[in-house]
Amino acid sequence: MTSSEPRGAMPAYGLFIDNAFTPAASGRTFEVENPATAATIATAAHGDAEDVARAVAAAERSVWGRMPGAERARILTRAADILAERMDDFVAAEVAQTGRPIREMKAQLARTPEWYAYFGALARTHEGRVHPFGGSYLNYSHRRPLGVVGALTPWNHPLLILTKKVAPALAAGNTMVVKPSEIAPLTPLMLGEVLAEAGLPAGAYNVVTGFGPDAGAAVVNHPSIAKIDLTGGTPTGRKVAAIAGERLIPMSAELGGKASVVVFADMVEAGTAGALFASFVAAGQTCVQGARLLVERSVYDEVVETLGRRARAIRVGDPTDPATEMGPLVSARQRETAERYVAIGREEGGRVVAGGARPGGEAFARGYYYTPTVLADVASGARVAQEEIFGPVVCCLPFEDEADAIRLANDTPFGLAASVWSREVSRAHRVAHAIDAGIVWVNDHHRIDPSSPWGGFAASGLGKENGIACYESYTKVQSVVVNLSPEPFDWFEGEAEGKRYS
């Protein structure tokens, strides 16, 4: 069970190690908060380096990596089915720990079983290669698991982002030690029960809850960790990358973003609706948030006015209410960040078209609510248009022509995502190709699939999630060269002429 408390008491979650819940070695715990009410909803074990060492040892003992791909596929497919059956419990936990509206969580989490089914299929079907080595030789290569993967996951999409790491890593035969965000650790722990019930051997999936300076640092620095997979902020990514580089182990990192939504004059209605979704889904707390709205000047005023009107109409409220369209921010700190940047935006000359304040009324007194905010006439070089806010704030900028749109879209240090809205197919493709981002949507935003590569350029990170490339990134390639010749070979016997040296 996840808790040793009597029925009706607040859930008390232990660490998940060796397919069982266990207290932290120190006995310490921390509280998990509901951002809609600021109330404590659970406690979780406060793990540290000693607990990480236990988890890594369990991962190293696990038989998972020695099981055939077909058996791994069977277990992951079963996990997909169990996860789907328990989806209501996961949705409720995600709403409670993140404040995301139930309408969002139902839609997002309903897709997570697809990752386990997709990567399970890859575990069964992925093939080695035979290479044209030449001469009387057979050269084939095959992929082997890396070993123990350390995953550091964030609070904004606790189950989905974790799943994007767990499904391919396990499919490839690796074992895992996960350090989830201390803000939203519940569903990563609940996933352990699903995987264990599906037949995942003990030690293959371990979760150490805690904080970055102790549990997170211990995962990154443990000598038996064979790969680090991080989703987080760019400053953290740089520090972790330096450690991975020193240890010469691979690292994947999905980091910050400042995505542009580029709306041309021939697609005003759909582009404005798309910008509204890109800006305010998840209360803007997503790395692919449409934080920069670039609009062709001839329709700029129309789009900004419509966006502001529609932003003011978004129903902010109780995330458990199906009618709510935007819930609170995840923490007091996150709301303070949004408020600080809106103040900076005003100082830099931005015009507040909508929002820019906390909502009034008793219903919002205890949670971390903030209104959807539209800042118009922002300069591209302004801090509010350059730095990641991670909140419900969008900056609007006009552009003159296609070349200017591309220039503005590329005028940030980030390169994770962007979207282009135009009915002119050739232009849409030209602009998409010219934007220096790892993901570009055309006439859409924030769409994802387990088969579709996901990851950014520049300050937005390293490597890819999803797809075959991701699966292969959790493996190491071994090349086997076989001499098929019946003739004996002795380099030091006789003349070297005619002998193959390499």
Side-chain angles (χ1 to χ4, degrees):
M1 297 293 291
T2 57
S3 172
S4 59
E5 298 295 319
R7 184 177 296 276
M10 182 182 297
Y13 288 82
L15 312 174
F16 189 81
I17 298 175
D18 254 342
N19 277 5
F21 288 96
T22 178
S26 67
R28 293 184 299 166
T29 63
F30 62 91
E31 295 181 346
V32 180
E33 186 181 46
N34 182 335
T37 63
T40 299
I41 56 173
T43 62
H46 187 149
D48 57 22
E50 185 176 350
D51 301 300
V52 168
R54 281 198 292 151
V56 172
E60 290 183 302
R61 288 193 305 267
S62 180
V63 301
W64 176 248
R66 299 190 292 276
M67 296 171 66
E71 182 64 9
R72 298 199 302 269
R74 185 190 67 78
I75 291 171
L76 290 175
T77 302
R78 176 64 179 141
D81 294 339
I82 296 171
L83 183 58
E85 292 165 3
R86 299 187 184 174
M87 192 53 63
D88 288 348
D89 293 339
F90 279 87
V91 169
E94 293 269 276
V95 171
Q97 69 183 351
T98 68
R100 298 264 308 266
I102 192 168
R103 73 196 300 261
E104 281 187 14
M105 289 293 85
K106 281 186 173 181
Q108 183 184 86
L109 297 194
R111 297 208 54 208
T112 52
E114 297 176 33
W115 268 258
Y116 297 95
Y118 172 84
F119 283 103
L122 270 184
R124 182 184 293 273
T125 61
H126 196 277
E127 299 175 349
R129 296 178 180 174
V130 177
H131 308 280
F133 194 88
S136 58
Y137 291 88
L138 169 66
N139 177 207
Y140 65 90
S141 60
H142 65 118
R143 293 183 176 271
R144 295 163 50 179
L146 294 171
V148 183
V149 172
L152 307 172
T153 61
W155 48 259
N156 58 325
H157 305 292
L159 183 63
L160 176 62
I161 289 178
L162 175 65
T163 287
K164 290 197 293 179
K165 303 180 190 307
V166 171
L170 291 181
N174 300 282
T175 55
M176 301 194 75
V177 175
V178 175
K179 207 298 283 184
S181 168
E182 65 277 7
I183 293 175
L186 305 186
T187 45
L189 291 164
M190 292 164 61
L191 180 63
E193 294 181 302
V194 168
L195 293 170
E197 184 174 329
L200 193 73
Y205 174 81
N206 306 277
V207 182
V208 178
T209 50
F211 294 78
D214 41 29
V219 171
V220 170
N221 287 286
H222 196 286
S224 293
I225 294 293
K227 177 177 178 174
I228 301 168
D229 195 335
L230 161 73
T231 297
T234 299
T236 300
R238 288 194 171 103
K239 293 175 183 177
V240 173
I243 295 169
E246 181 67 26
R247 294 188 49 221
L248 294 178
I249 62 172
M251 174 182 171
S252 296
E254 203 236 78
L255 306 176
K258 197 74 174 177
S260 291
V261 176
V262 182
V263 178
F264 285 92
D266 62 346
M267 210 165 189
V268 168
E269 184 176 354
T272 305
L276 190 77
F277 171 74
S279 300
F280 302 120
V281 70
Q285 298 170 121
T286 172
C287 47
V288 297
Q289 181 213 12
R292 291 165 57 99
L293 174 58
L294 313 181
V295 186
E296 195 164 1
R297 185 173 291 279
S298 62
V299 295
Y300 175 77
D301 291 339
E302 176 187 356
V303 170
V304 169
E305 189 280 327
T306 302
L307 185 71
R309 173 175 53 79
R310 294 203 60 189
R312 290 189 293 273
I314 289 175
R315 292 189 292 273
V316 179
D318 179 0
T320 65
D321 183 346
T324 294
E325 295 173 328
M326 195 177 97
L329 276 73
V330 78
S331 66
R333 178 182 177 183
Q334 208 63 33
R335 180 171 65 179
E336 289 164 5
T337 298
E339 290 176 321
R340 177 165 53 85
Y341 271 103
V342 170
I344 291 170
R346 283 189 168 108
E347 292 169 3
E348 293 177 321
R351 175 168 56 95
V352 178
V353 176
R358 301 181 185 185
E362 180 61 26
F364 304 106
R366 285 175 294 280
Y368 308 120
Y369 292 94
Y370 197 72
T371 51
T373 300
V374 178
L375 288 175
D377 310 337
V378 177
S380 181
R383 284 186 62 192
V384 74
Q386 287 290 320
E387 299 173 11
E388 188 173 38
I389 300 172
F390 228 67
V393 181
V394 58
C395 301
C396 304
L397 301 79
F399 65 83
E400 304 299 335
D401 53 23
E402 183 179 315
D404 194 35
I406 293 167
R407 180 186 65 80
L408 289 171
N410 288 333
D411 187 28
T412 80
F414 300 104
L416 182 56
S419 59
V420 179
W421 298 79
S422 176
R423 298 191 186 282
E424 189 177 321
V425 174
S426 57
R427 176 170 63 190
H429 282 282
R430 282 196 308 272
V431 175
H433 292 179
I435 293 176
D436 198 25
I439 312 157
V440 181
W441 296 279
V442 174
N443 300 338
D444 214 327
H445 199 96
H446 207 291
R447 304 301 179 185
I448 190 171
D449 188 87
S451 67
S452 178
W454 178 284
F457 304 152
S460 289
L462 304 165
K464 295 293 182 185
E465 296 179 326
N466 301 339
I468 294 173
C470 174
Y471 175 88
E472 292 182 343
S473 75
Y474 283 103
T475 67
K476 52 190 176 186
V477 178
Q478 183 179 56
S479 179
V480 179
V481 182
V482 183
N483 183 359
L484 301 177
S485 174
E487 299 299 325
F489 176 81
D490 188 339
W491 176 259
F492 294 101
E493 177 67 29
E495 298 294 328
E497 187 175 348
K499 293 181 179 179
R500 181 164 177 163
Y501 178 77
S502 60

